């Protein structure tokens, strides 16, 4: 652990400014990095969104400068020199597999197609022609149902739409985006509650609210630009209620570098910090609602007029016993009543959450319970209040909007056939985990991945490696190396180097978590070799399906053609067809609710009732584990080994309360094995960490995925990366 004198007591601050200069030196100069950041392209990291036609570092309200370490890290990674052919000859697969996620990321930019064949010891560089011939030839030899297609949230709307179209006219609905392993529970839960699977508010509504619930998330590390909005809430006297089993430094105090007062004095973020057990959120949410009910603070006219199921919901609140809610949440009744009283005084409340809510076997029910709580006081369907899932990757929401789901929305399906005459399959597509299961059994023989790190994103890492290595062919389109290029390699593995967003030869679009569509101009390529994602997909379409009904693959090389298709078939996206000419970035219609008329068939929201699962990991030698990202990390990409805000200098650790160290007969920094029925991690350092609730523990993702079971929420198919029961034994 770091020396006490080095401990970080707040997020952001002068360290963030120093870090900017450090990253600038890595690219050659701060000015060079600044110019790259200021181009008219959307930010490459989180879905809070910035950039586009207002220029980089500008958010949806026009605020400048909006920048964070994550956006700097992603940009600097794309500005690395290329990996030259000699590297592949001298560096074996075994050597790659021994590298950490950070070491792989820092090898440089991919600039040549490379291929690995099982039995070989190294990757080899190949030509683009060889790559296309191999991929098209293999896909032509297979039944479409023997393939799956996986999409990252970093790609553009155009690339996502075109690839899912290619997969479907090829003949399969095994079309998956990365949200199945992160926020799918948000989409399913919100759709079932308000008839729309995205945020019900815009960014400006967050800043107008007087009470923000931040549940199961750590935006100080993962979505730092939201901290500016939370600062504005606090300065207006608003409340920020954080619900998290861990006290995160940046959620207590954050110093926003672009605000002189905040930089010097710090901004106190959380007015109230509630620490339930991992998995205790559902009981806590019902407890807050029960307290509102018992004190007559529920807006009964709103429920009666605008919600279905309110009678059953109120009866369920009456039926819950406080003892059960306290036991299963780990929170005293008095504390739940205190939070309910704060909420009852609010006039404009926003409920936000991240994967601490969705990464559970009951993730959809967690989201429904949040929606229930918002509706209790009519906090959905009015300005300045609503529901706000804090999405991960910069275009993960857009990828879903343009059709990257196993089942197309009926409106998109019908419009594609009606307007363009394409022939689409009607088979039931598989979710991501089901595709992995079928790869392991041999039913699926080829995969095609548009960005991301499918291996690193999977639960049960041992199984994931076996499943992917069972494929005949796996194709991955990436800018840099990741663990999926070194583990779980198929009988034939091909990596295709792609251009970064700000290097695209034609404009592309992205959608923020606030349903705002931006236009990215692209720009000059930094290195010879990589190709546009759209160009690669269109070329593959020409090779694989030259006579596909209704599609001119030559025209599909142009993003303007793809946007015309999107504008004609995707609900709310009509303005995208002319966006490259009008430069008019836009809010998607039908998703922001300023009146209590929702996206359901009858316009009424839906209240849901739940039974609350027992708290797991209560055995004498057990801990409840949640996998987490570090401050120097974005999704599976690790930019820095240290976790600055938790004052940790390495990643091979398990953080637990000192009381648990004593209970388990361990000492600080003792080597242990962390294990369960899924897997085992020997040689881990057990560290005392006072900020986590006793009975709970943290380990870093994706390394700890070896401990995560493949059991998923039955409604969203999202695996339970949180609430993993583990044992910690000495040695």
């Amino acid at each position: 652990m770091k020396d006490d004198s080095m401990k970080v007591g707040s997020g952001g601050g002068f360290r963030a400014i120093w870090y900017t200069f450090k990253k600038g030196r890595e690219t050659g100069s701060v000015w060079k990095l600044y110019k790259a950041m200021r181009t008219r392209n959307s930010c490459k990291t989180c879905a809070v969104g910035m950039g586009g036609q207002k220029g980089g570092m500008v958010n949806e309200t026009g605020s400048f400068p909006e920048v964070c370490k994550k956006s700097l890290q992603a940009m600097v990674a794309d500005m690395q020199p290329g990996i030259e052919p000699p590297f592949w000859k001298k560096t074996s697969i075994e050597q790659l597999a021994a590298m950490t996620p950070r070491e792989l990321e820092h090898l440089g930019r991919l600039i040549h197609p490379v291929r690995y064949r099982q039995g070989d010891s190294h990757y080899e560089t190949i030509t683009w022609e060889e790559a296309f011939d191999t991929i098209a030839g293999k896909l032509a030899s297979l039944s479409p149902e023997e393939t799956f297609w996986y999409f990252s949230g970093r790609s553009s709307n155009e690339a996502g739409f075109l690839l899912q179209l290619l997969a479907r006219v090829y003949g399969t609905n095994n079309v998956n985006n990365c949200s199945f392993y992160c926020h799918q529970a948000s989409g399913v839960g919100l759709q079932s509650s308000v008839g729309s699977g995205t945020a019900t508010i815009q960014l400006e509504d967050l800043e107008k609210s007087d009470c923000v619930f931040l549940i199961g998330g750590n935006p100080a590390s993962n979505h730092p630009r939201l901290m500016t909005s939370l600062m504005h809430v606090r300065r207006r006297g608003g409340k920020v209620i954080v619900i998290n089993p861990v006290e995160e430094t940046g959620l207590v105090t954050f110093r926003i570098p672009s605000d002189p007062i905040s930089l010097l004095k710090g901004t106190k973020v959380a007015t109230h910090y509630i620490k339930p057990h991992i998995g205790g959120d559902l009981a806590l949410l019902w407890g807050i609602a029960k307290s509102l009910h018992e004190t007559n603070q529920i807006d009964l006219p709103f429920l009666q007029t605008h919600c279905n199921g309110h009678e059953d919901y109120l009866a369920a609140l009456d039926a819950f016993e406080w003892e059960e809610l306290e036991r299963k949440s780990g929170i005293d009744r008095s504390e739940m009543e205190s939070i309910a009283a704060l909420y009852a005084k609010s006039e404009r409340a926003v409920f936000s959450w991240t994967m601490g809510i969705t990464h559970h076997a009951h993730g959809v029910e967690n989201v429904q319970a949040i929606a229930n709580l918002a509706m209790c006081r009519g906090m959905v369907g009015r300005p300045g209040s609503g529901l706000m899932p804090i999405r991960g990757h910069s275009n993960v929401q857009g990828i879903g909007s343009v059709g990257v789901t196993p089942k197309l929305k009926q409106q998109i399906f019908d419009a594609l056939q009606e307007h363009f005459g394409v022939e689409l399959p009607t088979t039931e597509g598989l979710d991501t985990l089901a595709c992995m299961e079928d790869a392991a059994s041999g039913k699926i023989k080829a995969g095609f991945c548009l960005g991301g790190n499918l291996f690193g994103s999977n639960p049960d890492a041992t199984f994931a490696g076996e499943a992917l290595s069972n494929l005949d062919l796996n194709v991955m389109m990436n800018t840099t190396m990741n663990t999926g290029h070194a583990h779980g390699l198929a009988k034939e593995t091909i990596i295709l180097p792609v251009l970064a967003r700000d290097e695209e030869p034609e404009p592309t679009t992205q959608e923020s978590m606030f349903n705002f569509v931006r236009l990215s101009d692209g720009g000059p390529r930094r290195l010879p070799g990589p190709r546009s994602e759209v160009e690669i997909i269109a070329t593959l379409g020409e090779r694989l399906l030259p006579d596909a009904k209704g599609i001119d693959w030559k025209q599909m090389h142009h993003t303007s053609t793809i946007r015309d298709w999107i504008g004609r078939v995707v609900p709310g996206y009509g303005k995208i067809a002319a966006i490259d000419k009008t430069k008019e970035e836009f809010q998607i219609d039908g998703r922001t609710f300023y009146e209590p008329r929702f996206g359901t068939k009858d316009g009424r929201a839906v209240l849901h009732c739940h039974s609350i699962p027992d708290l797991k990991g209560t055995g004498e030698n057990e801990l409840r584990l949640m996998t987490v990202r570090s401050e120097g990390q974005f999704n599976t990409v690790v930019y820095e080994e240290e976790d600055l805000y938790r004052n940790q200098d390495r990643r091979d650790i398990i953080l637990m309360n000192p009381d648990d160290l004593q209970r388990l007969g361990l000492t600080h920094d003792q080597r242990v094995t962390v294990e369960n029925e899924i897997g085992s991690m020997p040689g881990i350092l057990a560290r005392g960490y006072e900020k986590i609730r006793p009975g709970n523990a943290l380990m870093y993702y994706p390394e700890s995925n070896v401990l995560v079971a493949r059991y998923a929420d039955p409604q969203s198919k999202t695996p339970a990366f949180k609430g993993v029961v583990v044992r910690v034994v000495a040695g």
Side-chain angles (χ1 to χ4, degrees):
M1 184 179 289
K2 291 183 177 180
D3 183 89
D4 285 348
S5 64
M6 296 291 289
K7 280 192 174 182
V8 174
S10 62
F14 287 101
R15 288 183 184 84
I17 295 174
W18 174 85
Y19 189 83
T20 301
F21 284 94
K22 174 187 173 184
K23 302 309 284 185
R25 288 195 297 272
E26 290 180 22
T27 65
S29 73
V30 174
W31 177 243
K32 183 179 179 182
L33 178 57
Y34 177 80
K35 287 195 298 181
M37 295 293 295
R38 282 291 287 147
T39 59
R40 289 195 296 269
N41 291 284
S42 296
C43 176
K44 299 172 182 177
T45 49
C46 83
V48 173
M50 69 170 186
Q53 292 305 290
K54 292 180 180 178
M57 300 191 287
V58 180
N59 71 13
E60 276 143 67
T61 65
S63 175
F64 171 86
E66 292 290 327
V67 66
C68 71
K69 288 176 68 172
K70 297 290 184 289
S71 52
L72 293 171
Q73 289 163 341
M75 182 62 75
V76 171
D78 286 341
M79 296 173 75
Q80 294 181 93
I83 302 175
E84 298 293 344
F87 170 86
W88 303 108
K89 293 182 178 180
K90 72 178 183 181
T91 309
S92 68
I93 299 297
E94 184 178 2
Q95 289 172 305
L96 291 173
M99 293 182 184
T100 65
R102 182 189 182 279
E103 289 169 336
L104 289 164
E105 172 69 20
H106 285 78
L107 290 175
R109 281 286 298 274
L110 291 159
I111 58 174
H112 299 95
V114 294
R115 175 174 60 198
Y116 165 76
R117 288 171 168 156
Q118 282 184 4
D120 292 347
S121 58
H122 292 68
Y123 275 103
E124 61 174 341
T125 58
I126 58 175
T127 66
W128 280 99
E129 284 299 308
E130 288 177 288
F132 284 125
D133 286 345
T134 300
I135 298 165
K138 185 62 181 180
L139 292 175
S141 74
L142 297 175
S143 158
E145 290 304 303
E146 293 179 307
T147 68
F148 72 81
W149 307 70
Y150 176 80
F151 299 64
S152 161
R154 189 174 179 179
S155 295
S156 66
N157 289 324
E158 291 79 4
F161 179 85
L162 186 60
L163 186 60
Q164 67 84 28
L165 180 65
L166 170 58
R168 295 190 206 278
V169 296
Y170 170 58
T172 185
N173 283 322
N174 294 340
V175 170
N176 294 279
N177 72 51
C178 56
S179 71
F180 274 104
Y181 287 165
C182 57
H183 260 292
Q184 185 71 7
S186 293
V188 174
L190 287 170
Q191 189 73 42
S192 68
S193 296
V194 296
S196 176
T198 63
T200 67
I201 65 170
Q202 299 180 26
L203 176 59
E204 61 186 24
D205 294 302
L206 174 63
E207 302 203 353
K208 291 176 182 176
S209 65
D210 63 15
C211 181
V212 178
F213 281 81
L214 179 56
I215 311 171
N218 183 18
S221 284
N222 300 318
H223 305 82
R225 289 191 303 282
L226 276 178
M227 304 310 292
T228 302
S229 297
L230 295 178
M231 175 189 73
H232 293 157
V233 171
R234 287 302 315 273
R235 284 183 177 174
R236 289 196 326 274
K239 309 296 184 185
V240 176
I241 300 167
V242 177
I243 299 173
N244 195 319
V246 186
E247 181 184 302
E248 300 286 10
T249 298
L251 299 184
V252 177
T253 305
F254 200 91
R255 298 176 184 270
I256 300 184
S258 60
D259 186 278
I261 296 175
S262 178
L263 176 63
L264 294 173
K265 295 185 176 181
T267 296
K268 299 298 181 184
V269 182
T271 53
H272 299 79
Y273 211 116
I274 315 300
K275 296 168 68 174
H277 287 303
I278 296 169
D281 305 279
L282 189 60
L284 172 60
L285 293 163
W286 275 94
I288 296 170
K290 182 175 178 67
S291 179
L292 290 172
H293 185 39
E294 291 183 347
T295 55
N296 296 314
Q297 299 287 353
I298 283 181
D299 188 342
L300 189 58
F302 181 90
L303 298 189
Q304 292 171 333
T305 306
H306 302 296
C307 300
N308 292 324
H310 73 277
E311 292 180 350
D312 290 341
Y313 178 67
L314 295 176
L317 289 174
D318 286 329
F320 274 120
E321 297 289 340
W322 277 110
E323 185 278 331
E324 178 188 7
L325 298 175
E326 288 181 308
R327 174 169 43 85
K328 292 183 176 179
S329 68
I331 300 298
D332 291 340
R333 172 179 176 176
S334 61
E335 195 167 7
M336 291 189 250
E337 290 174 335
S338 175
I339 296 303
L342 282 170
Y343 176 35
K345 294 177 182 178
S346 169
E347 296 180 0
R348 298 176 305 280
V350 167
F351 290 81
S352 65
W353 65 93
T354 67
M355 289 178 288
I357 283 293
T358 61
H359 271 171
H360 292 276
H362 53 279
V364 169
E365 294 183 350
N366 282 343
V367 174
Q368 290 171 339
I370 293 171
N372 286 349
L373 190 54
M375 287 183 272
C376 276
R377 298 201 56 247
M379 291 296 177
V380 189
R382 56 194 288 194
S385 59
L387 301 165
M388 188 182 87
I390 305 174
R391 301 274 181 180
H393 227 317
S394 56
N395 197 41
V396 64
Q397 190 163 294
I399 289 289
S401 292
V402 299
V404 181
T405 53
K407 180 175 175 57
L408 272 177
K409 288 184 177 179
Q410 194 63 43
Q411 189 172 344
I412 299 177
F413 183 91
D414 293 341
L416 278 170
Q417 296 196 130
E418 177 184 343
H419 292 306
F420 299 105
V422 296
E423 295 180 350
L424 302 174
T426 56
T427 51
E428 185 175 348
L430 301 176
D431 62 83
T432 309
L433 191 53
C435 286
M436 295 293 295
E437 299 281 357
D438 276 10
S441 70
K443 293 179 183 177
I444 285 181
K445 301 184 183 303
F448 194 101
C449 303
L450 177 61
N453 177 0
L454 179 56
F455 166 78
S457 301
N458 261 277
D460 193 347
T462 302
F463 168 83
E466 293 169 352
L468 291 169
S469 64
N470 199 40
L471 294 170
D472 290 346
L473 173 68
N474 194 17
V475 180
M476 294 173 277
M477 296 168 61
N478 293 97
T479 55
T480 55
M481 292 286 286
N482 61 52
T483 56
H485 302 138
H487 301 271
L489 300 183
K491 296 180 179 68
E492 189 164 14
T493 298
I494 293 177
I495 309 173
L496 301 178
V498 298
L499 296 170
R501 180 174 301 162
D502 57 341
E503 299 172 328
E504 287 280 353
E506 296 185 3
T508 61
T509 58
Q510 295 78 34
E511 177 190 329
S512 82
M513 72 182 212
F514 294 106
N515 306 300
F516 186 74
V517 177
R518 286 184 172 83
L519 177 69
S520 293
D521 285 354
R525 62 170 64 241
R526 296 185 175 92
L527 297 164
R531 294 191 180 184
S532 161
E533 292 175 336
V534 165
E535 177 192 352
I536 294 170
I537 298 164
T539 302
L540 180 59
E542 290 177 89
R543 299 286 186 96
L544 180 62
L545 303 165
D547 301 317
K549 185 178 177 182
I551 302 177
D552 182 341
W553 293 110
K554 292 291 185 187
Q555 289 300 312
M556 287 297 185
H557 281 258
H558 301 293
T559 58
S560 58
T561 302
I562 304 169
R563 284 191 294 274
D564 180 62
W565 281 55
I566 295 172
R568 294 172 69 179
V569 305
V570 177
Y573 259 78
K575 292 181 180 178
I576 202 172
I579 195 172
D580 56 332
K581 300 178 182 66
T582 65
K583 308 296 182 183
E584 180 188 350
E585 298 173 321
F586 62 92
Q587 203 77 32
I588 299 169
D589 294 335
R591 298 186 183 176
T592 303
F593 298 117
Y594 287 155
E595 298 290 338
R597 172 110 189 136
F598 302 104
T600 55
K601 288 184 179 180
D602 62 2
R604 293 163 65 90
V606 179
L607 290 156
H608 295 269
C609 296
H610 309 117
S611 59
I612 300 174
D614 290 330
L615 199 64
K616 298 189 294 184
T618 57
E620 183 178 349
N621 296 315
E622 294 178 333
L623 289 170
R624 287 173 295 279
L625 173 73
M626 63 179 181
T627 67
V628 298
R629 278 77 166 167
S630 68
E631 192 269 339
Q633 177 178 1
F634 186 72
N635 199 7
T636 60
V637 181
V638 178
Y639 294 110
E640 312 289 352
E641 294 289 345
E642 68 175 0
D643 189 357
L644 185 66
Y645 294 171
R646 297 189 185 108
N647 293 289
Q648 303 300 321
D649 58 351
R650 57 196 299 160
R651 295 175 63 84
D652 56 341
I653 58 177
I654 180 169
L655 299 181
M656 66 182 79
N657 191 278
D659 290 349
D660 288 320
L661 275 181
Q662 185 175 7
R663 173 172 67 90
L664 298 173
L666 304 172
T667 57
H668 182 79
D669 266 358
Q670 182 176 347
R671 291 283 180 184
V672 298
T673 296
V674 184
E675 62 184 19
N676 58 16
E677 67 279 6
I678 306 302
S680 175
M681 296 184 71
I684 299 297
L685 289 176
R687 287 187 167 177
Y689 193 65
E690 294 180 352
K691 294 184 177 182
I692 189 168
R693 178 81 186 262
N696 305 277
L698 304 179
M699 291 185 76
Y700 292 116
Y701 163 101
E703 295 93 327
S704 57
N705 286 358
V706 70
L707 302 168
V708 179
R710 301 198 302 278
Y711 180 79
D713 180 343
Q715 297 185 73
S716 67
K717 310 302 182 185
T718 301
F721 290 92
K722 307 291 189 286
V724 178
V725 178
V726 298
R727 298 177 298 277
V728 183
V729 296

